[in-house]
Amino acid sequence: MSYQEWILVVGSSNVDQIVRTDQLPNRGETVLGGDVRILVGGKGANQAVAAARLSKCVVGFVSSVGNDPHSRRVKSALESENVSCEFFVDEARPTGTAFINVDKTTGDNTIVVSAGANMSVESEHIFKAVERLSNQYGCLPRIALFQLEMPVKVCAEVAQKLRKSGSVILLNPSPIGQLFEYLDILDDVDILIVNEEELRLLALRGFQVDTSGQYDGNIDLVKRTVKAVETKFSGKVFATLGSTGVVVEDTLVDAYKPERVCDTVGAGDCFAGAVAAIVSENVVEGIPHVWQEIARFATVAAGLSVLTAGAHSAPRRAVVDDIFTRLRTQNDS
């Protein structure tokens, strides 16, 4: 039987209801916004689309939705991106919904997520879906990417089983609060992708690491915190710092900054999908991991994603390759 290497993404499916405003409201303040845009989102779906656009492998996605029009919108959007979908349908709960406010000028945003059916999925649902996808592709996934917009214990059980079978496990622990309910999931994580605030909370609440000081703009403190976290578990940490860049292997990889910013909503998910895409190629081809190069590729992808509105804003692989190659040439000269 022939086989095809593939990436598994296990995570949330949402519809995003997006309103752009002149400024983000302060506490207790009401502001007027533009017309509501309804797009497909959810961290799982976003990262699956990014991985599909940026990887040479195929992508399978496992999620949970309600029996409603939103679920059909989600499925249609993902299948149009050549993502193989396996959905558990919850008849009692709606498809997840995210309410997103975007500042027109800066692209900054605030997000409230109603998880809905995303929290109904059980590990047995995912195991059966992975088995169907593995039969389709003739092998288990080489990479499995998780987030925490579904029950963390379910993610942990699936990650443990897949890692024992040889899959490389990536975790983007967002929302971070879920992680502290079941910190043992980190025992089966090979690559951890966190933003600055998630890194700080993980160090403080997860590992009781004292990293006193102001994080904002303090790269040396971020580097020390990454080192401290990596002593507590066996994986590699990517700490994303927005428009500053990414810290990995005690190195700051500068962000790729386009001339304009439309919307930053999907940038973090694009970064995670890009890391999964490039790591999958290294695993398949046996190339040693060069962590800074992986981070540089992912920052280019994330930087390009802010040019487009909506969470499914990841660029196509050829565009990223072109800019990535030019940046490497400049650095070498």
Side-chain angles (χ1 to χ4, degrees):
M1 180 181 178
S2 63
Y3 70 94
Q4 188 173 13
E5 299 286 359
W6 63 290
I7 297 170
L8 169 68
V9 181
V10 177
S12 57
S13 298
N14 294 333
V15 287
D16 292 345
Q17 300 196 24
I18 305 169
V19 177
R20 294 168 65 83
T21 57
D22 290 330
Q23 63 184 45
L24 298 179
N26 295 314
R27 182 176 180 179
E29 181 184 14
T30 299
V31 298
L32 292 176
D35 292 341
V36 175
R37 296 184 68 202
I38 300 178
L39 302 172
V40 171
K43 294 190 72 64
N46 299 343
Q47 293 179 17
V49 168
R53 291 183 181 178
L54 296 166
S55 178
K56 296 175 183 177
C57 296
V58 293
V59 175
F61 178 54
V62 179
S63 188
S64 180
V65 293
N67 184 9
D68 53 33
H70 285 332
S71 68
R72 293 184 279 280
R73 181 191 290 262
V74 168
K75 184 177 181 181
S76 175
L78 285 159
E79 289 180 344
S80 72
E81 297 285 349
N82 297 316
V83 175
S84 294
C85 299
E86 288 282 344
F87 290 115
F88 164 69
V89 178
D90 186 337
E91 299 288 347
R93 302 187 74 177
T95 300
T97 304
F99 303 91
I100 303 173
N101 183 190
V102 179
D103 186 306
K104 290 180 183 177
T105 304
T106 65
D108 292 337
N109 61 81
T110 61
I111 304 175
V112 175
V113 177
S114 172
N118 289 306
M119 300 307 290
S120 302
V121 71
E122 298 178 5
S123 54
E124 203 54 42
H125 300 140
I126 300 175
F127 289 141
K128 289 178 180 177
V130 172
E131 182 179 5
R132 287 191 293 269
L133 288 167
S134 297
N135 289 336
Q136 179 180 339
Y137 296 125
C139 61
L140 287 167
R142 295 301 296 124
I143 304 290
L145 172 59
F146 297 81
Q147 322 77 39
L148 297 181
E149 287 184 340
M150 57 173 46
V152 61
K153 190 171 181 181
V154 170
C155 294
E157 291 168 354
V158 176
Q160 182 182 61
K161 184 173 181 178
L162 286 171
R163 194 165 188 248
K164 285 180 179 178
S165 300
S167 298
V168 176
I169 306 300
L170 281 65
L171 175 64
N172 174 215
S174 179
I176 190 69
Q178 278 244 85
L179 183 64
F180 305 122
E181 297 176 16
Y182 203 83
L183 205 60
D184 288 351
I185 189 175
L186 293 179
D187 294 341
D188 294 293
V189 171
D190 297 292
I191 297 174
L192 188 69
I193 301 169
V194 290
N195 64 26
E196 193 170 354
E197 179 64 8
E198 290 161 353
L199 175 69
R200 184 186 70 81
L201 289 171
L202 176 59
L204 208 59
R205 290 181 56 188
F207 297 130
Q208 290 74 53
V209 172
D210 182 12
T211 53
S212 302
Q214 295 295 318
Y215 270 71
D216 190 20
N218 190 336
I219 304 303
D220 287 337
L221 179 57
V222 172
K223 288 179 179 179
R224 291 200 303 273
T225 307
V226 167
K227 278 186 176 179
V229 169
E230 287 185 337
T231 65
K232 302 294 184 178
F233 88 118
S234 60
K236 180 63 57 183
V237 174
F238 286 79
T240 62
L241 310 177
S243 61
T244 300
V246 181
V247 168
V248 64
E249 284 280 284
D250 201 33
T251 300
L252 173 66
V253 176
D254 291 332
Y256 173 74
K257 299 177 184 178
E259 292 182 359
R260 62 180 178 84
V261 175
C262 174
D263 186 347
T264 62
V265 168
D269 291 332
C270 179
F271 182 90
V275 171
I278 294 303
V279 171
S280 72
E281 292 169 25
N282 289 346
V283 170
V284 171
E285 297 174 15
I287 302 170
H289 292 297
V290 182
W291 297 111
Q292 293 92 339
E293 291 299 285
I294 292 170
R296 189 165 288 110
F297 178 91
T299 57
V300 171
L304 289 169
S305 76
V306 305
L307 294 170
T308 305
H312 289 185
S313 55
R316 301 292 173 178
R317 176 63 181 261
V319 179
V320 180
D321 279 344
D322 180 59
I323 294 174
F324 177 64
T325 301
R326 282 194 278 119
L327 289 175
R328 288 184 70 180
T329 302
Q330 291 170 10
N331 290 337
D332 292 341
S333 59

